[in-house]
């Protein structure tokens, strides 16, 4: 994969460009950003000896891609969350749920599997809806 293709599918993807072009998106000079009422710090560079090959580095290299993440809850429960991979910290990841226009912050140490989707491909169901919620999401 050449460098232009790699950039197109990550931070410079169509989804990230659409997000950053919103009137309520404000980028700071240091790399931090804010959108509406959500702020995040500067994206950390995980290209260090101790972080090479880590989950954080792999996820940070794929910011802007649509993902479904499976989390281990307790000793046997699995919960899935989906959205555009928006930010990666040392102990958390942030997903942006474009359909609901909200951010989901997730514990990185509970992640067991990450599914990456091809551009314009999405799962058949919305994993962000909680069971028994009857699709009534408070916004």
């Amino acid at each position: 994969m050449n460098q232009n293709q790699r950039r197109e599918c990550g931070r410079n993807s169509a989804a990230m460009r659409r997000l950053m072009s919103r009137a309520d998106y404000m980028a700071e000079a240091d790399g931090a950003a804010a959108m509406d009422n959500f702020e995040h710090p500067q994206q950390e560079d995980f290209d260090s000896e101790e972080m090479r090959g880590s989950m954080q580095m792999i996820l940070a290299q794929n910011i802007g891609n649509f993902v479904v993440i499976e989390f281990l809850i307790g000793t046997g429960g699995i919960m899935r969350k989906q959205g555009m991979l928006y930010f990666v910290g040392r102990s958390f990841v942030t997903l942006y749920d474009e359909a609901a226009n909200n951010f989901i912050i997730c514990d990185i140490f509970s992640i067991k599997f990450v599914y990456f989707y091809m551009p314009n491909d999405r799962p058949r169901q919305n994993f962000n809806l909680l069971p028994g919620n009857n699709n009534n999401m408070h916004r």
Side-chain angles (χ1 to χ4, degrees):
M1 177 184 308
N2 71 38
Q3 192 67 15
N4 288 338
Q5 287 173 322
R6 182 173 178 189
R7 275 191 252 127
E8 183 64 25
C9 68
R11 286 191 177 109
N12 292 322
S13 67
M16 284 299 285
R17 286 194 310 269
R18 188 171 51 251
L19 197 62
M20 292 186 296
S21 69
R22 289 177 43 153
D24 59 348
Y25 185 89
M26 296 180 359
E28 303 292 332
D30 66 356
M35 189 172 91
D36 196 13
N37 65 342
F38 181 76
E39 297 179 22
H40 71 80
Q42 177 181 3
Q43 177 61 56
E44 187 171 344
D45 180 10
F46 292 106
D47 191 19
S48 64
E49 187 63 37
E50 65 274 0
M51 296 302 287
R52 279 192 201 109
S54 68
M55 179 72 81
Q56 291 92 330
M57 182 177 189
I58 293 167
L59 292 174
Q61 289 172 332
N62 287 282
I63 287 174
N65 290 325
F66 190 88
V67 296
V68 170
I69 301 178
E70 289 186 347
F71 300 89
L72 179 63
I73 307 298
T75 58
I78 294 287
M79 176 174 276
R80 293 182 184 105
K81 292 294 178 183
Q82 70 183 43
M84 179 181 64
L85 191 53
Y86 178 76
F87 185 84
V88 179
R90 283 193 178 259
S91 62
F92 68 95
V93 298
T94 303
L95 301 177
Y96 177 66
D97 183 350
E98 192 169 22
N101 191 35
N102 60 30
F103 294 90
I104 306 165
I105 297 177
C106 312
D107 175 31
I108 202 160
F109 302 110
S110 298
I111 293 175
K112 295 302 169 197
F113 303 100
V114 180
Y115 301 86
F116 290 88
Y117 285 77
M118 299 302 286
N120 301 317
D121 191 17
R122 299 292 181 264
R124 292 189 179 103
Q125 70 185 74
N126 185 341
F127 293 111
N128 294 340
L129 300 177
L130 297 175
N133 205 10
N134 294 331
N135 298 336
N136 292 330
M137 293 184 63
H138 299 288
R139 292 182 192 166

